[in-house]
Amino acid sequence: MLTRKQLELLDFIRQRMDRDGVPPSFDEMKEALDLRSKSGIHRLITALEERGFIRRLAHRARAIEIVKLPEAMEKPGFTPRSFEPKVIQGDRPVAPPPHAIPVEIAAMELPVMGRIAAGVPIEAISEVSHHVAVPQSMLSRNGQHYALEVKGDSMIEAGINDGDIVVIREQSSAENGDIVVALVEDHEATLKRFRRRGNMIALEAANPAFETRVFPDHLVKVQGRLVGLIRTY
């Protein structure tokens, strides 16, 4: 779920890209949202990226790609000002706020295809161990998805912990900076950040205790890109 400011920014980026073919500058975003500093825009951009609505392309100025839009933005007559957060009732007995509407979250069952290493690579697993319910808002409209259980702590600085369930969109290509499932030498699978360096592929950890591993590009096959994460406390 997005805040009103996040929706306003996403809608502004969409309108400018529809009009000009390029995203607005941070100064233009700051002025459009009436914020005092660009740090607020940075926080909003990061939140939209973490939620999978946009993607920043590395090493390119003003390079923002809209990956998906919330359902509310695709309805006729949508304006961010008319947005009201949906309220999901928990187990705390509180009075509902005015105009609250009961919400049923759409979910999809995804197969959990074993474990994926967020450490040193482990042998690839392709058998379904169980299924997990994933909110449909986390999934891309096109493409197939699956889930994996994370083993290891090499991606902790990217917010991915041992035991988390990662949601993966199947694809065979990746942009620099994407977190991907990479198949190394056709038998080892690992979850790392993808970087292409000429004809070499670097698989970067998000933990200084782990070294970046570099392979010739023909030894690395991208199996999918991270689009979501599920954590159980």
Side-chain angles (χ1 to χ4, degrees), residues 44 70 77 83 87 140-141 149 182 200 204 207 233:
L44 293 172
F83 169 76
V87 178
S140 306
R141 289 190 171 186
E149 181 182 350
M200 306 293 286
E204 297 179 353
N207 182 336
Y233 294 92

Side-chain angles (χ1 to χ4, degrees), residues 158-172:
I160 303 171
N161 299 333
D162 183 61
D164 287 346
I165 299 292
V166 288
V167 180
I168 305 297
R169 182 188 187 277
E170 288 187 24
Q171 59 186 71
S172 58

Side-chain angles (χ1 to χ4, degrees), residues 112-134:
V112 179
M113 309 293 289
R115 289 185 171 185
I116 183 72
V120 296
I122 58 176
E123 199 157 328
I125 299 175
S126 59
E127 295 182 0
V128 177
S129 61
H130 61 284
H131 286 74
V132 64
V134 176

Side-chain angles (χ1 to χ4, degrees), residues 187-201:
H187 71 277
E188 291 181 328
T190 188
L191 185 73
K192 291 291 183 292
R193 197 174 295 279
F194 176 95
R195 302 281 183 192
R196 176 175 288 279
R197 302 173 180 174
N199 61 351
M200 306 293 286
I201 300 296

